[in-house]
Amino acid sequence: MKNPGIVVNKYQSERIVRKLLSMDIIRKDLKIRQDGDLVMIPLKQHTEFQGYRTMELEFESRAIQKPPAETIRKISGARSGKPVIPDRWIRLGDALIIKDSRKPSRSVLQSIAQVLGVNSIYIDRGRIQGNIRRPEMEIVYGAPGTVIHQENGIRYSMDPSRVMFSPGNVNERILHGKMALDGATVLDMFAGIGYFSLPLAKYTHLSKIYAVEINPESYSFLKRNVEINRLQGRVMPILGDCRDVSPLMRFDYIVMGHFRSLESLSAALMRSRPGTVLNMHLLVPTHELAVYWQDIVVLARRLGYILDFIEQRKVKSYGPHLWHMSLDLAVSRCLWP
Ligand SMILES: C[S@@+](CC[C@H](N)C(=O)[O-])C[C@H]1O[C@@H](n2cnc3c(N)ncnc32)[C@H](O)[C@@H]1O
């Protein structure tokens, strides 16, 4: 059917949909449609939004018109009032991760699987264990195992109960794919299953990326993901501790996607030259946001490297007054001869 809608770029669509939802002007009974890089969003009326003009576009109506929680309650036969029906979940391929710690009944789980079309359901116990960042998940429906999650045109094979995948980091993953890295040699020191290595290799014109991962399970998913995304020859997976096994070369760009990135700063600097950009992930309390990076600059200077601040980005809130930050620093000089 024809309805007023706007056409936006797929990379901006998530932000725009969120904004339009908060303004309550999206028609939720019609499906948002994607065609290549363009996303068509159905609106309640013709309106002007941030320079986007509405036009008459073709949309399909949604099969499920009620909010999923309502449909789940209805078909599970649960009476309103008591049943535990989660209202927050994350979908990874055909698995669903529920954030609510209370376990829903068998009939509610069955209804969730039916309404949302998933094969397995986990409860995220919220703890992420150790340096290898293994999530603590309880399987409550279906069988555990590997799923294929698609994001930004990349396929990530993973087992949600064994390796982490944070949907909240999606902007950082997309941003990496948009970097100007023509001909660059890149090092990903905490590659995981390829969160950053895959978008870097797929969407930039880098020459090669060395992807180091210490956890053998994540490493085998990383290798598989390189294959299923046909990035062999561009991504070189390496198993081991990045401080020991990263190639001793001078890289143009070094990604350090782990909150304990500081512990590997000297290993990264050893592999840098003037012009190298370091991307560090850190947990930072709100009151230190303006200054924390200066300590890193001082530490690097003691190690013989002059660093310049480029920019910092808030990836997501990590708790009260605590932020997951992504920090870009450039090596401007090495004091070693
Ligand atoms: C937090 S995960 C990556 C998360 C990712 N940046 C994201 O946005 O979702 C960090 C990865 O670093 C790996 N790791 C931890 N210490 C390491 C080390 N010393 N050398 C190489 N990999 C390491 C962990 O096993 C894990 O897979």
Side-chain angles (χ1 to χ4, degrees), residues 104-169:
S105 68
R106 180 82 202 150
S107 73
V108 169
L109 289 168
Q110 256 165 357
S111 311
I112 294 175
Q114 185 186 332
V115 171
L116 300 177
V118 294
N119 293 329
S120 53
I121 303 176
Y122 297 84
I123 292 187
D124 182 353
R125 291 291 172 211
R127 288 177 288 265
I128 296 186
Q129 295 165 344
N131 235 1
I132 60 168
R133 319 269 312 140
R134 177 182 285 186
E136 203 181 310
M137 300 276 188
E138 182 190 344
I139 181 95
V140 288
Y141 180 87
T146 302
V147 299
I148 304 254
H149 179 65
Q150 190 142 348
E151 179 193 273
N152 185 26
I154 293 169
R155 298 169 78 214
Y156 294 90
S157 164
M158 78 184 102
D159 180 338
S161 64
R162 309 192 83 80
V163 300
M164 67 165 286
F165 189 91
S166 175
N169 302 356

Side-chain angles (χ1 to χ4, degrees), residues 131-133 169 189-190 192 195-196 213-214 240-242 257-258:
N131 235 1
I132 60 168
R133 319 269 312 140
N169 302 356
M189 295 178 81
F190 303 91
Y195 313 97
F196 297 140
E213 172 52 46
I214 201 168
D241 188 322
C242 58
H258 194 290

Side-chain angles (χ1 to χ4, degrees), residues 50 84 100 110 135 147 209 212 218 240 300 306 310:
Q50 293 185 358
V84 175
D100 198 322
Q110 256 165 357
V147 299
I209 176 160
V212 186
S218 301
I306 308 293
I310 305 178

Side-chain angles (χ1 to χ4, degrees), residues 122-319:
Y122 297 84
I123 292 187
D124 182 353
R125 291 291 172 211
R127 288 177 288 265
I128 296 186
Q129 295 165 344
N131 235 1
I132 60 168
R133 319 269 312 140
R134 177 182 285 186
E136 203 181 310
M137 300 276 188
E138 182 190 344
I139 181 95
V140 288
Y141 180 87
T146 302
V147 299
I148 304 254
H149 179 65
Q150 190 142 348
E151 179 193 273
N152 185 26
I154 293 169
R155 298 169 78 214
Y156 294 90
S157 164
M158 78 184 102
D159 180 338
S161 64
R162 309 192 83 80
V163 300
M164 67 165 286
F165 189 91
S166 175
N169 302 356
V170 58
N171 288 340
E172 272 298 298
R173 288 190 286 273
I174 290 176
L175 215 78
H176 273 91
K178 291 185 178 172
M179 292 182 68
L181 286 170
D182 292 16
T185 311
V186 179
L187 174 63
D188 182 354
M189 295 178 81
F190 303 91
I193 62 168
Y195 313 97
F196 297 140
S197 291
L198 300 174
L200 278 166
K202 178 156 177 158
Y203 295 122
T204 75
H205 297 288
L206 58 75
S207 143
K208 207 164 262 186
I209 176 160
Y210 294 84
V212 186
E213 172 52 46
I214 201 168
N215 175 3
E217 260 178 338
S218 301
Y219 171 76
S220 70
F221 283 117
L222 169 66
K223 281 203 305 184
R224 170 113 187 85
N225 290 335
V226 170
E227 279 165 26
I228 62 176
N229 290 285
R230 300 212 176 93
L231 294 168
Q232 300 98 319
R234 285 169 66 68
V235 183
M236 306 308 215
I238 300 173
L239 176 63
D241 188 322
C242 58
R243 291 164 290 194
D244 305 328
V245 301
S246 297
L248 273 171
M249 302 162 45
R250 309 279 169 208
F251 291 92
D252 300 298
Y253 182 52
I254 301 179
V255 195
M256 305 166 81
H258 194 290
F259 296 147
R260 294 174 71 167
S261 54
L262 207 52
E263 292 169 18
S264 302
L265 181 64
S266 64
L269 290 171
M270 276 166 62
R271 291 159 174 91
S272 72
R273 54 161 178 71
T276 300
V277 173
L278 304 182
N279 171 240
M280 301 180 74
H281 286 239
L282 300 134
L283 280 183
V284 185
T286 308
H287 69 275
E288 285 179 18
L289 283 177
V291 293
Y292 71 97
W293 57 268
Q294 293 168 13
D295 293 342
I296 301 174
V297 170
V298 170
L299 180 62
R301 198 191 167 92
R302 281 201 204 118
L303 295 167
Y305 295 83
I306 308 293
L307 297 183
D308 290 338
F309 174 86
I310 305 178
E311 69 165 10
Q312 58 172 337
R313 296 175 292 280
K314 280 180 176 162
V315 178
K316 59 177 188 263
S317 159
Y318 204 78

